[in-house]
Amino acid sequence: MASEDITKLAESLAKTKVGGGQLSFKGQSLKLNTAEDAEEVIKQIEEFDGLEALRLEGNTVGVEAAKVIAKALEKKSELKRCHWSDMFTGRLRSEIPPALISLGDALIAAGAQLVELDLSDNAFGPDGVRGFEALLKSPACYTLQELKLNNCGMGIGGGKILAAALKECHRKSSAQGKPLALKIFVAGRNRLENDGATALAEAFGIIGTLEEVHMPQNGINHPGITALAQAFAINPLLKVINLNDNTFTEKGAVAMAETLKALRQIEVINFGDCLVRSKGAVAIADAVKEGLHKLKELNLSFCEIKRDAALTVAEAIEDKTELEKLDLNGNCLGEEVCEQLHDILEGFNMASVLGSLSDDEGDEDDDEEEEDEEEEEEEEQQQLKERGVEEQESLTPKKIIDSQASTPVPSPPVDVATFLAFPSPEKLLRLGPKCSVLIAQQTDTSDVEKVVATLLRISSVFKDEAPVKTAVHETTDALMKKAFSSATFNSDAFITNLLVHMGLLKSEEKIKTVPSLYGILMTLNHMVQQDYFPKSLAPVLSAFVTKPNRALDSCSFARHMLLQTLHQL
């Protein structure tokens, strides 16, 4: 190293901040290529007793320098926080994984117990995730509370690798009696898309301890948003959800709104630039109105929200005394509605919470909005099919005929026998509000086989859409309450028969098992929480659902939800 380089390095190191167990080289623009380049850094690390936090942001670390820094870290068992964002500037992508592997191996060897790992703003791509995969699976991360991977270009592949590593970490840490309890997850600007988001959602559902999730700008559409919503529902401590600049559309917004109804600790909702549109905004407003008393910030800016929906949102925050900011900027309101928003909030003595409306797009015709939504939905469906993602059939058929030019053809009537013979969500709903009573009345609950068969047919039409889910739950409750309250009903025979038909228990007879366990697992998750369900059956059910099974593996989210519920009984 040239003398002038040594001088420059010495000057930079003079700015190094030490205190509170933290050693910081933040923002010093150090170019650490070789072992010699890193000598002064290594010296400071080695001489620092009780090192708990190491900041390397704003420098650039090569493979050789990383190896010698790692060697110094092997003796730092007290290290808890690694602030390692933006530390590979100008490096080839191929250099980053080996550098991360060296640093990760050192933390494992040291016996460190990390609380925070920040690798944001390192453009390492999917291969870079492999660089810290072993670290995430190791005991060094069993204690991890904050994982920050913003702007790393992970892509779908990296998202899947990350999700698998988190699940493995949770599995191994749980085996030691101290499950991974991740609180903060940050992964904005990573091109995760639907598949990456869905993989991570599965991990989130297993972890269940998240308090903040930040995943803006990831190209996630409604299938990925719906998967995340399902996972968030079983993370009851969530305070912050930031999904800014993804594409919810109505489907994703409605799914997320249903989840918000189940969360009690939410403080920040950032769905700005997420195209929730008017119907989605109304659904979210309903969720806000029903609860969310700790809400401090609601961002629905640039979401193509129209007049009435925006007013509904404003009216929903009437009793939200903790609210500090409502952002409805960049929507399609018009001057008159902007004034109405101010008047409504003024009436609540909350005018100060309304953010700027300077980028309002002006009033637009609602009919044009519906046409735009239909066109965009058709385009989205086509894109999904081209990628091999088949959407479930819509609950109600699309309007393909101009209502002014023709009259709709009425749907044929449905009875209980028709539904049970060929079950579908639409048929269950068409049975009407008395569907639960009708099915229970027409099922011989003294016959265990018939009860199981009926339950499986009901659960086979389960969907996360509110009307269908409610109908399935109510029908299941009516049937099973009647069965379990009967003195002649054999509960043990019921659970045995059900497990056989689910393919979880072998039978001497040739029994046709259900093609998918998702519906019955989700229905059981509801059923076991009801007063009519015999708690003595819970251990039996838990034992069989816990066992390795290929059919269960394909429904890991539903399986985890059921096991978590059974564990809490």
Side-chain angles (χ1 to χ4, degrees), residues 211 281 296 329 375 378 389 404 495 556:
E211 295 181 11
K296 294 181 179 179
N329 199 19
E375 288 175 7
E378 287 173 6
V389 180
Q404 294 180 346
I495 199 70
S556 56

Side-chain angles (χ1 to χ4, degrees), residues 414-431:
V414 173
D415 56 20
V416 172
T418 303
F419 167 74
L420 293 177
F422 303 100
S424 73
E426 185 183 359
K427 288 175 186 171
L428 181 61
L429 294 177
R430 276 164 49 198
L431 281 172

Side-chain angles (χ1 to χ4, degrees), residues 494-566:
F494 164 77
I495 199 70
T496 300
N497 197 293
L498 179 62
L499 290 169
V500 168
H501 280 83
M502 290 173 68
L504 305 183
L505 181 63
K506 290 183 179 180
S507 171
E508 294 179 1
E509 300 175 10
K510 192 171 183 180
I511 301 290
K512 185 178 180 181
T513 59
V514 293
S516 171
L517 293 180
Y518 179 77
I520 186 60
L521 290 173
M522 295 297 285
T523 303
L524 283 169
N525 183 57
H526 167 80
M527 200 170 104
V528 299
Q529 299 177 63
Q530 309 311 309
D531 292 337
Y532 61 73
F533 184 80
K535 297 300 182 277
S536 60
L537 298 182
V540 179
L541 188 58
S542 180
F544 282 90
V545 177
T546 304
K547 287 183 178 181
N549 184 287
R550 188 173 296 176
L552 286 170
D553 290 342
S554 65
C555 303
S556 56
F557 176 79
R559 177 191 204 179
H560 171 71
M561 284 191 69
L562 176 57
L563 287 173
Q564 189 176 53
T565 300
L566 289 168

Side-chain angles (χ1 to χ4, degrees), residues 110-130:
Q113 293 186 316
L114 295 184
V115 172
E116 180 179 359
L117 177 61
D118 186 355
L119 292 170
S120 299
D121 300 315
N122 291 310
F124 45 58
D127 293 340
V129 184
R130 294 286 188 198

Side-chain angles (χ1 to χ4, degrees), residues 237-421:
L237 302 178
L238 264 174
K239 296 178 181 178
V240 178
I241 302 177
N242 176 7
L243 294 173
N244 190 285
D245 199 8
N246 289 291
T247 307
F248 281 43
T249 65
E250 180 190 343
K251 290 181 180 179
V254 169
M256 194 61 70
E258 284 298 310
T259 284
L260 291 174
K261 292 177 182 179
L263 299 175
R264 296 287 178 265
Q265 306 300 321
I266 289 292
E267 296 178 4
V268 177
I269 298 171
N270 186 346
F271 297 159
D273 205 11
C274 283
L275 206 65
V276 303
R277 295 200 176 104
S278 294
K279 292 178 182 177
V282 169
I284 292 167
D286 288 343
V288 171
K289 190 171 185 177
E290 286 185 21
L292 305 187
H293 295 293
K294 296 184 179 181
L295 188 64
K296 294 181 179 179
E297 181 178 337
L298 175 59
N299 185 345
L300 293 175
S301 61
F302 299 93
C303 281
E304 293 191 6
I305 299 170
K306 303 296 190 295
R307 304 175 299 244
D308 293 343
L311 297 175
T312 301
V313 172
E315 290 166 353
I317 68 168
E318 179 178 2
D319 63 345
K320 303 299 174 275
T321 56
E322 301 293 319
L323 194 70
E324 299 171 1
K325 184 177 182 181
L326 171 63
D327 193 345
L328 290 170
N329 199 19
N331 287 298
C332 310
L333 309 181
E335 185 176 343
E336 182 181 342
V337 176
C338 289
E339 291 177 2
Q340 284 182 270
L341 285 174
H342 280 287
D343 291 343
I344 289 172
L345 295 174
E346 187 70 47
F348 302 154
N349 197 26
M350 296 176 70
S352 61
V353 307
L354 184 61
S356 170
L357 297 172
S358 59
D359 293 318
D360 184 64
E361 296 288 337
D363 192 5
E364 287 187 12
D365 192 288
D366 287 338
D367 291 336
E368 291 180 5
E369 176 192 10
E370 289 183 8
E371 290 175 8
D372 290 344
E373 284 186 21
E374 287 185 9
E375 288 175 7
E376 290 189 25
E377 189 169 313
E378 287 173 6
E379 289 176 8
E380 185 182 1
Q381 294 281 10
Q382 186 59 37
Q383 290 171 359
L384 289 169
K385 286 179 180 178
E386 287 173 0
R387 293 184 56 203
V389 180
E390 290 296 330
E391 283 295 294
Q392 287 187 326
E393 191 173 314
S394 177
L395 193 60
T396 56
K398 284 189 177 181
K399 295 178 182 178
I400 57 173
I401 302 173
D402 189 332
S403 60
Q404 294 180 346
S406 61
T407 56
V409 178
S411 300
V414 173
D415 56 20
V416 172
T418 303
F419 167 74
L420 293 177

